[in-house]
Amino acid sequence: MDEILQRPCEHQIIVTHGGSLTFVLACWIKMPIESVDYASFRGPSGSITKLCEDDFFHNRQVVTLGDTRHLDAVQR
C-alpha cells in the first residue's frame, strides 16, 4: 500500500480478493494492523469500494464499501 500511495496519479484501481480488502482499508484509514483481528471489511465479488482523500486536510474517507449497483443491468 505504501508503494501504491506514493504513485503520482490522481486515480488508481486496486483489485483484491476476499479478506484482502480489510488490509487495504485498514492501511487507508491508518488503523493499527493489530486491529484487523477485530475488524472485517467485506465486499461482494465484482463490487467497488471508493476511497478518497481530502486535498486540503488530507483526511481519508471510505466513500462506498462493496457497491454493486453497476452490476444491476448485467443481472437482468
Side-chain angles (χ1 to χ4, degrees):
M1 281 299 296
D2 291 337
E3 286 182 35
I4 292 169
L5 294 173
Q6 296 301 317
R7 294 179 185 160
C9 46
E10 187 175 352
H11 298 97
Q12 296 190 66
I13 296 173
I14 301 170
V15 179
T16 68
H17 291 274
S20 302
L21 182 57
T22 295
F23 294 100
V24 170
L25 292 179
C27 181
W28 178 253
I29 62 174
K30 298 187 178 191
M31 177 196 305
I33 195 69
E34 301 82 27
S35 297
V36 297
D37 287 343
Y38 306 102
S40 178
F41 301 101
R42 298 285 175 180
S45 295
S47 67
I48 296 174
T49 295
K50 183 177 178 181
L51 310 173
C52 290
E53 183 176 44
D54 177 84
D55 291 337
F56 187 74
F57 293 108
H58 301 283
N59 296 327
R60 292 181 175 180
Q61 180 182 35
V62 178
V63 178
T64 60
L65 175 63
D67 185 9
T68 58
R69 290 177 290 170
H70 61 286
L71 298 175
D72 288 346
V74 177
Q75 295 176 359
R76 290 185 187 154

